[in-house]
């Protein structure tokens, strides 16, 4: 960490393990294409869990599919506003996200330039590759936490362990490294893994 006055800046090019965090259904409730800040609801155990992961030396990187942009449900700016809201809510618990990696694309969308087949829509590993390029990640010690099997598949494609939080909304990936029902349990698995 470099101290400039009283703010600390994360030094990006220092390789560290990362926790790749799905957004909807993991950090915030997945009401379906969440895009209004009033609908951004952190799960109650997320802030403390992120703090424990940060204390363990992990970078915290969000990787999220936001096909609502390609589908014309909302603008990309609405996604950024939601991320500012997540940051605001986490700040109250003195914890931060290092960066957000967003896939706004969907081939069946109706809104250019987003309605394309891309390399970053999970389960493809493009968002993790973007994150690695920017931060340099020790992949064999990293994890992805998701609520969909496609999040776990994304981790598999990038060679990292996946922990699925079953919120009762999506099918399970029985081969996930961990299958839990809360963020706190996912953190517990990570902190006790070798
Ligand atoms: O869980 P992450 O990746 O953070 O974000 C998922 C959301 O973008 C949305 O992903 C959509 O899937 P499709 O993109 O329409 O297949 C639907 O499942 C929505 O209910 C969900 O809110
Ligand atoms: Mg999700
Ligand atoms: Zn994409």
């Amino acid at each position: 960490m470099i101290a400039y006055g009283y703010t600390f800046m994360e030094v990006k090019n220092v390789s560290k393990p990362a926790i790749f965090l799905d957004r909807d259904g993991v950090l915030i409730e997945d009401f379906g294409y969440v895009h209004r800040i009033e609908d951004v609801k952190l799960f109650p155990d997320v802030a403390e869990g992120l703090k424990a992961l940060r204390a363990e030396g992990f970078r915290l990187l969000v990787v999220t599919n936001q096909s609502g942009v390609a589908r014309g449900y909302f603008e990309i700016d609405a996604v950024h506003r939601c991320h500012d809201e997540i940051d605001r809510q986490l700040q109250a618990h003195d914890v931060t996200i290092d960066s957000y990696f967003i896939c706004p694309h969907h081939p069946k969308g109706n809104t250019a330039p987003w309605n394309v087949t891309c390399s970053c829509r999970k389960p493809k590993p493009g968002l993790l590759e973007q994150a690695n390029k920017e931060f340099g990640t020790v992949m064999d010690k990293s994890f992805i936490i998701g609520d969909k099997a496609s999040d776990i598949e994304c981790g598999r494609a990038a060679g990292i362990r996946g922990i699925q939080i079953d919120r009762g909304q999506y099918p399970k990936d029985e081969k996930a490294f961990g299958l839990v029902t809360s963020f706190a349990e996912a953190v517990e698995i990570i902190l006790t893994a070798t």
Side-chain angles (χ1 to χ4, degrees):
M1 301 280 241
I2 299 178
Y4 291 105
Y6 293 100
T7 54
F8 287 85
M9 285 175 67
E10 169 71 357
V11 181
K12 276 192 176 176
N13 58 358
V14 169
S15 288
K16 285 166 75 170
I19 303 299
F20 296 99
L21 299 152
D22 175 64
R23 192 195 84 178
D24 298 286
V26 170
L27 298 181
I28 65 172
E29 293 205 47
D30 186 353
F31 298 112
Y33 302 101
V34 170
H35 59 282
R36 300 180 314 168
I37 58 171
E38 55 269 32
D39 295 331
V40 173
K41 305 248 181 269
L42 276 183
F43 286 103
D45 55 353
V46 161
E48 284 315 304
L50 292 174
K51 281 174 95 161
L53 294 169
R54 172 77 79 203
E56 194 71 12
F58 287 103
R59 266 207 190 93
L60 303 175
L61 302 170
V62 172
V63 288
T64 182
N65 282 354
Q66 291 302 320
S67 69
V69 177
R71 296 171 189 278
Y73 299 162
F74 47 86
E75 305 274 330
I76 188 80
D77 285 351
V79 181
H80 295 136
R81 282 196 296 275
C82 284
H83 296 171
D84 293 344
E85 177 60 17
I86 290 173
D87 289 343
R88 190 189 66 77
Q89 294 185 27
L90 288 176
Q91 201 172 23
H93 299 272
D94 197 20
V95 65
T96 57
I97 294 288
D98 288 305
S99 197
Y100 293 82
F101 294 87
I102 303 160
C103 168
H105 309 109
H106 197 287
K108 294 202 177 81
N110 56 16
T111 307
W114 316 108
N115 54 339
V116 295
T117 298
C118 67
S119 60
C120 54
R121 177 176 162 78
K122 294 178 289 182
K124 291 177 190 169
L127 295 179
L128 276 60
E129 287 158 3
Q130 285 173 32
N132 290 343
K133 212 158 128 220
E134 190 169 328
F135 285 94
T137 303
V138 180
M139 288 301 274
D140 61 346
K141 295 197 179 341
S142 297
F143 291 81
I144 186 167
I145 304 177
D147 66 320
K148 291 184 181 175
S150 50
D151 299 319
I152 309 307
E153 249 176 83
C154 173
R156 210 170 273 131
I160 64 171
R161 293 165 289 187
I163 299 170
Q164 185 175 10
I165 301 179
D166 177 13
R167 302 281 192 201
Q169 282 180 286
Y170 301 109
K172 295 177 200 146
D173 179 327
E174 301 299 341
K175 294 200 211 67
F177 181 81
L179 189 56
V180 297
T181 56
S182 73
F183 192 81
E185 286 172 282
V187 171
E188 189 52 31
I189 288 181
I190 291 168
L191 296 183
T192 50
T194 49

